[in-house]
Amino acid sequence: MAVPGDPPNGTPDGTGGGDDEFRSDEYRSVVFDEDFVRAARLQEYSAQERMGEHARAVRSRSIWSGGSAPRTSTPGRGARQGMLLVLLIATAFAVAVYLGLRNPYVPPPGGPAQALTSTVVPLAPTTAVPGGLPPELFAKSPAADYRVGAAGITLPAVRRTHHFTDVQVVTALSIAKDYLVQSSLDPDVLAGSATRPVRVLLDPDQLAQFDRSMTSPSGDGRHAATGWLVRFDPATAVMADSRVRVSGTLAFEEVAQDVLEVTTDHTFVYAVRPATGAPAAADGASLFTVRRELRLRFDRDDLSARRLELASAYVMAGPQDCSADPAGGFRPLLAGAGPTTVGPAASDPYASGHPRRSAGLCGVLAPSATPGTPVSPAP
């Protein structure tokens, strides 16, 4: 009897039919229709699908590792990274060029500060020194319209120079004004009892010279205390009025790529009286006039530290006796002192412009001017 699955005419001759004998009747009854076969077709999963949620065991190669990116990388990713890197390098280069143009190379500061050179000239009177009360003396002198104290030290109009900004110029001028105030108006400095207010404003390279000038003053052109500051010999005179009259000018100039120079030219008029124990006239006070022309230098370190280099000082002061050495401190001829005359008179230092310089060590007071008015020195 034929069964489903056998050839229509039975088993061919010569072929073994032993297999049929071992078939189970249970399997002979199973029939696979067409719908069952379609539903049972096989589907092979890809390698990524077989991995499922498991992390990859190796990391992807970058374009810099020398190999190609894995097949799972985003197309064009390496090219975009390369373009981004090039863009960052170009941006950094552009920023460096821009900063270089906006902030040009600042040269290093120059060498050590030079030593101060100073000239201090006493001015002798040609008439008796008048005395009186300070307000009356000031009112009758060329200093009648001078301002009092620091108000008489005014700053000029400011502009930038080739290598210094306007802020740096203002800083230099303000330091110069501080120096004039401390060295010409401070009561303790004038009395000879203090030097620190002046010393702290100086370049460190000049401190040794300054200290020697204070402790061992000399008229050698480098170590006169009165070249650095104004002070009176405490055994001769003291201040009779703290309201010093002041007038003058400041100017600035760039003298080198890293050096700014400020020039000051001021006249200071003091009311003084005899020191305790010194002989005094009935009129009491008298006027003493000091004209100071200074050259101050600044490099960028000085501006940052608010200090200066005092390059030169030209000072005239009177009335004084030419026989007295003014290097250590001024010794005014006080009210009632008789005239002393040395050489001819010259131009009036109260006028604008620079005083005439001379190698002489003594000058005279103009006889036609109000008593107490100094003039340029004569040899």
Side-chain angles (χ1 to χ4, degrees):
M1 178 178 178
V3 295
D6 288 341
N9 296 323
T11 303
D13 293 338
T15 61
D19 289 342
D20 290 339
E21 295 176 2
F22 292 95
R23 290 177 180 176
S24 171
D25 292 340
E26 181 180 358
Y27 289 103
R28 289 178 180 274
S29 64
V30 177
V31 178
F32 296 93
D33 60 8
E34 185 178 358
D35 292 335
F36 179 84
V37 172
R38 289 176 180 175
R41 70 175 182 271
L42 297 176
Q43 180 178 0
E44 183 178 0
Y45 291 96
S46 67
Q48 188 171 1
E49 289 173 335
R50 289 197 300 271
M51 290 177 64
E53 298 179 356
H54 295 284
R56 287 185 293 181
V58 296
R59 60 186 180 185
S60 300
R61 291 184 177 182
S62 69
I63 60 174
W64 308 109
S65 63
S68 60
R71 188 173 299 175
T72 57
S73 298
T74 304
R77 179 181 178 187
R80 288 198 298 270
Q81 289 178 338
M83 292 181 64
L84 179 60
L85 182 60
V86 172
L87 180 60
L88 289 176
I89 294 174
T91 302
F93 180 78
V95 170
V97 172
Y98 175 77
L99 293 178
L101 293 175
R102 288 294 303 273
N103 300 280
Y105 168 72
V106 177
Q114 300 298 314
L116 165 68
T117 58
S118 61
T119 301
V120 182
V121 181
L123 300 176
T126 57
T127 60
V129 178
L133 297 176
E136 297 174 353
L137 294 172
F138 284 125
K140 296 177 181 179
S141 74
D145 296 328
Y146 286 8
R147 294 182 178 181
V148 175
I153 306 172
T154 57
L155 304 186
V158 173
R159 68 183 186 283
R160 64 169 298 140
T161 66
H162 187 62
H163 295 100
F164 290 88
T165 67
D166 51 356
V167 174
Q168 290 174 317
V169 172
V170 169
T171 301
L173 291 171
S174 65
I175 298 172
K177 179 173 181 176
D178 288 345
Y179 185 81
L180 288 172
V181 170
Q182 299 302 328
S183 64
S184 309
L185 301 175
D186 184 280
D188 292 332
V189 172
L190 296 176
S193 59
T195 60
R196 179 174 171 76
V198 179
R199 191 179 191 274
V200 296
L201 293 173
L202 295 173
D203 188 291
D205 293 332
Q206 291 190 314
L207 294 182
Q209 183 187 10
F210 176 83
D211 291 340
R212 179 179 169 184
S213 301
M214 298 303 111
T215 58
S216 302
S218 171
D220 60 0
R222 290 183 178 270
H223 298 97
T226 47
W228 300 92
L229 48 81
V230 176
R231 73 177 180 185
F232 298 103
D233 176 7
T236 302
V238 296
M239 295 290 294
D241 190 337
S242 61
R243 294 169 295 177
V244 182
R245 303 309 197 264
V246 185
S247 180
T249 60
L250 288 95
F252 62 90
E253 179 185 7
E254 180 181 316
V255 295
Q257 186 174 353
D258 59 346
V259 178
L260 189 67
E261 183 175 278
V262 174
T263 302
T264 75
D265 185 6
H266 289 79
T267 299
F268 300 86
V269 184
Y270 306 87
V272 296
R273 61 176 177 80
T276 303
D283 293 324
S286 60
L287 298 184
F288 188 83
T289 306
V290 179
R291 181 167 180 174
R292 305 181 75 198
E293 183 182 340
L294 311 178
R295 281 196 307 115
L296 316 174
R297 290 194 164 193
F298 303 85
D299 59 26
R300 288 176 174 80
D301 287 343
D302 292 331
L303 295 176
S304 299
R306 291 197 63 83
R307 67 193 186 203
L308 57 88
E309 170 193 345
L310 182 57
S312 68
Y314 186 80
V315 182
M316 297 186 299
Q320 292 187 94
D321 191 331
C322 287
S323 63
D325 183 7
F330 296 125
R331 300 176 181 177
L333 289 174
L334 302 170
T340 59
T341 304
V342 178
S347 60
D348 185 353
Y350 279 88
S352 60
H354 300 295
R356 184 174 71 86
R357 303 191 177 203
S358 171
L361 297 179
C362 191
V364 297
L365 297 175
S368 60
T370 302
T373 301
V375 297
S376 297

